[in-house]
Amino acid sequence: MTDSSTRDGFNTSRRDFLKFGGLAAAGTTLGAAAGAGFVLGRDPDANVGWGRTEAGKDMFFNRKPFEVDHAPTLEIVGPVERPEWSDFLFNRYPVIGQAIMDGWNPNNGWETIEDERVREYYSRHPDRWPEMLQAFVEMDRRSQHREKHRDRFALAWAYGNAYDKGLMTANFPPVPYEHPDVDDFKWVKGEPAKFKSPAHASKLVKQMAFKFGMSIVGITKLDHSFVFKNMMRMGGSNRNWGDEVPKHWKNIIVFGAPMNWDPMYAAAGYSTSYDAYFRARMATGLMTAWLGELGYAGRPQWPGRDYEVILPPIAIQAGMGEASRNGCLMTPELGPNIRLAAVITNLDLEPDKPVNLHMREFCEECKICADACPSGSISQADKPDDVVRGYKKFKFNQDSCFRFWSTAPTDNGKGCRICIAVCPYTRKNNWIHTVVKEMDPRDPSGITRKALQAMQHNFFYYPEAEAYHPDWTGGNFAGYHEPPEWLRTENYLDVEKTWEYDGNWEGF
């Protein structure tokens, strides 16, 4: 016979066991849920409104295996010279425009313009003068025809102009006005904070660039070869300077953001650079202010014309990417769809190394951007065919490029971006493109490169270069892609659609 006390004790223990087991199961379930929540909570995509950019996940390509001591697309083949004030197109053309408004007749030749720096430039490049003259003719023609096409482009122009107003009317960061020994320190608070090491400083600076909305970032020592001579923003001008480079200009933090993808693919009429320009400018102000809070100087450099340095080669030195055929920086994540900005600082930083991703070989074989260029400004040569200030590169005519800018059917007649849109590296981040971008620099045979180029040439439609022109110069407003749904006026405005789109379906 079983003892009742034993039986009752067993029954009690079983009930307790079941109760405790249920609690344990519930606890395990809650723990698993909490663990999953913790993991998912650390996923950048969970950070609504910030996401992968803020977490640095836009810069997903591991550059470490491809680091080199010398950038292959910054090959020195002659005496290295610093750029002049007049080498910057956005210095030249306003001076020429003002001279015309003041009564100077450009048909008398560049030799007769009063500004000696403009004369100096065209004495080196006399073949480019007719292109600059034609740019001013095209500005007038565009202004005469623009309103006839407002029904078609109204939403695209509104989008671009919204960012343009933000870019041009914002006073952040303020345009430098004082001597750089004063202006660059205006936000500095107290003594410099002591970092554990330059490597720690670089790691944190990069994180802050991502937090401030930038997709790609690199750091390098400031190479004076890419600092303009006779050019410094000061006193409301950028001409009151000589050859001196301020002593506190030690390192430079370079970063960038892409233009909105779908409008960019529909260049020229539906695209704008101002969205990326605005974001990049704001990031320079935030980075400069952040450095100042820690006791360090900052000199912001932002697009489209507030610079004292040439940023693409500096970004190459900082390991962000390589030079492309069209002269832009090309990164593995964004291709050339990146607008650069920077902050020069006296903070001691660990520099990044340049990389060899074999983009030079890709560009040598590709030529898609040169074929598509509506102004014929990009070299068709098989190998780099020019030497600029001592560096070997593909020939590029900035004046003829600007001539088409002045033709483009944008509200303010600025920008083209077609060479960026058609580039095979300018592709959205999906698994197909990611696999190809990971394989190409690791493939010594070049098979991946050739396969990608064959796919681009044979599977996708590329309008003829002339088709990108507006109708008043013989084109039909073509784009590599058709415009996105949200820029099609016929979808939202009370307009009569009288046009057809020429380009790939926007989903490709």
Side-chain angles (χ1 to χ4, degrees):
M1 175 181 268
T2 305
D3 184 86
S4 62
S5 63
T6 303
R7 185 177 63 248
D8 291 343
F10 175 77
N11 289 338
T12 303
S13 296
R14 183 172 60 183
R15 286 194 298 270
D16 289 345
F17 174 78
L18 292 173
K19 180 169 60 176
F20 289 135
L23 290 172
T28 301
T29 302
L30 290 172
F38 175 77
V39 172
L40 293 173
R42 294 175 65 84
D43 183 345
D45 290 337
N47 298 339
V48 176
W50 293 83
R52 57 180 293 120
T53 299
E54 182 260 351
K57 299 300 183 181
D58 287 355
M59 195 170 178
F60 58 81
F61 187 87
N62 180 17
R63 288 159 169 77
K64 197 70 178 175
F66 304 98
E67 290 182 346
V68 293
D69 291 328
H70 303 288
T73 52
L74 288 178
E75 182 182 359
I76 299 175
V77 294
V80 174
E81 302 174 357
R82 286 172 58 191
E84 290 281 356
W85 177 94
S86 59
D87 288 325
F88 190 27
L89 184 143
F90 290 109
N91 285 337
R92 296 195 308 277
Y93 104 82
V95 171
I96 297 171
Q98 186 61 52
I100 293 173
M101 291 176 63
D102 292 342
W104 172 70
N105 184 354
N107 293 317
N108 292 334
W110 58 264
E111 301 91 342
T112 64
I113 194 170
E114 183 177 354
D115 194 290
E116 62 180 356
R117 297 186 186 184
V118 174
R119 293 200 307 271
E120 185 276 331
Y121 175 84
Y122 288 107
S123 70
R124 288 185 281 126
H125 304 286
D127 57 311
R128 297 183 179 181
W129 178 246
E131 299 285 3
M132 177 56 77
L133 280 189
Q134 188 61 30
F136 284 94
V137 173
E138 297 299 343
M139 290 179 198
D140 288 338
R141 293 179 68 186
R142 183 191 56 79
S143 64
Q144 294 168 16
H145 290 85
R146 176 183 56 194
E147 287 305 314
K148 291 185 291 186
H149 300 281
R150 184 169 292 278
D151 279 358
R152 176 174 182 168
F153 293 107
L155 295 181
W157 294 352
Y159 174 75
N161 286 338
Y163 277 107
D164 184 23
K165 285 182 172 62
L167 181 70
M168 297 303 176
T169 62
N171 192 34
F172 183 80
V175 177
Y177 193 86
E178 304 293 339
H179 190 284
D181 288 348
V182 175
D183 207 289
D184 299 357
F185 292 83
K186 64 178 177 292
W187 287 344
V188 170
K189 283 188 176 179
E191 292 299 313
K194 186 177 180 181
F195 282 87
K196 292 182 176 181
S197 70
H200 284 86
S202 289
K203 181 179 179 180
L204 183 57
V205 160
K206 290 179 180 180
Q207 289 189 60
M208 297 312 300
F210 297 138
K211 304 294 183 192
F212 297 148
M214 296 294 96
S215 292
I216 312 292
V217 60
I219 294 169
T220 188
K221 300 289 184 184
L222 181 62
D223 187 341
H224 293 187
S225 301
F226 303 115
V227 179
F228 281 99
K229 293 193 295 183
N230 307 310
M231 181 170 160
M232 184 70 69
R233 291 168 295 168
M234 190 171 64
S237 173
N238 68 355
R239 300 179 61 131
N240 304 320
W241 199 253
D243 295 347
E244 177 190 357
V245 177
K247 290 183 173 57
H248 62 275
W249 287 15
K250 296 170 62 176
N251 296 303
I252 184 165
I253 308 157
V254 196
F255 40 73
M259 297 173 285
N260 194 323
W261 289 84
D262 290 326
M264 177 273 300
Y265 283 137
Y270 291 92
S271 65
T272 181
S273 298
Y274 291 134
D275 47 11
Y277 284 1
F278 178 80
R279 295 168 63 195
R281 176 175 181 171
M282 294 301 107
T284 67
L286 293 168
M287 182 65 77
T288 303
W290 182 82
L291 288 167
E293 292 290 325
L294 296 175
Y296 295 96
R299 182 81 173 185
Q301 313 281 312
W302 70 82
R305 64 183 67 181
D306 276 273
Y307 305 102
E308 281 93 14
V309 300
I310 300 179
L311 284 179
I314 293 174
I316 293 168
Q317 292 177 324
M320 295 169 68
E322 299 188 58
S324 60
R325 178 179 286 270
N326 66 1
C328 296
L329 173 74
M330 191 158 77
T331 73
E333 297 90 352
L334 305 172
N337 180 22
I338 183 169
R339 293 312 195 193
L340 294 171
V343 175
I344 304 169
T345 183
N346 60 348
L347 172 61
D348 286 330
L349 295 166
E350 181 180 70
D352 293 302
K353 298 187 71 172
V355 292
N356 182 2
L357 303 173
H358 303 289
M359 289 178 169
R360 167 63 61 81
E361 292 91 331
F362 189 96
C363 285
E364 287 175 351
E365 297 179 8
C366 181
K367 300 184 182 179
I368 286 177
C369 66
D371 291 337
C373 180
S375 61
S377 302
I378 303 172
S379 171
Q380 290 274 3
D382 293 333
K383 297 286 184 180
D385 55 343
D386 200 7
V387 177
V388 179
R389 297 185 297 277
Y391 292 90
K392 191 174 184 179
K393 59 175 293 185
F394 283 105
K395 187 173 292 184
F396 178 79
N397 187 332
Q398 56 179 270
D399 289 73
S400 60
C401 178
F402 183 66
R403 184 247 304 159
F404 182 77
W405 278 37
S406 305
T407 307
T410 55
D411 197 22
N412 55 13
K414 294 291 187 296
C416 170
R417 294 164 287 273
I418 290 167
C419 59
I420 296 174
V422 300
C423 175
Y425 259 84
T426 310
R427 296 296 173 260
K428 294 181 180 180
N429 179 28
N430 58 42
W431 71 268
I432 297 174
H433 297 140
T434 299
V435 167
V436 171
K437 290 178 179 181
E438 292 285 353
M439 289 176 59
D440 182 39
R442 292 176 168 86
D443 179 6
S445 70
I447 293 175
T448 303
R449 177 172 68 249
K450 294 179 187 302
L452 176 61
Q453 291 171 357
M455 289 171 58
Q456 289 294 320
H457 281 287
N458 296 303
F459 294 171
F460 294 92
Y461 166 60
Y462 286 92
E464 295 295 325
E466 293 76 14
Y468 292 106
H469 281 257
D471 62 358
W472 61 85
T473 57
N476 65 352
F477 303 107
Y480 174 58
H481 279 190
E482 295 179 3
E485 179 272 340
W486 54 277
L487 290 183
R488 300 187 184 204
T489 54
E490 68 272 20
N491 291 347
Y492 294 95
L493 304 183
D494 186 12
V495 298
E496 180 185 358
K497 183 175 181 288
T498 59
W499 56 87
E500 297 297 329
Y501 296 115
D502 183 6
N504 291 283
W505 176 55
E506 63 171 299
F508 282 102

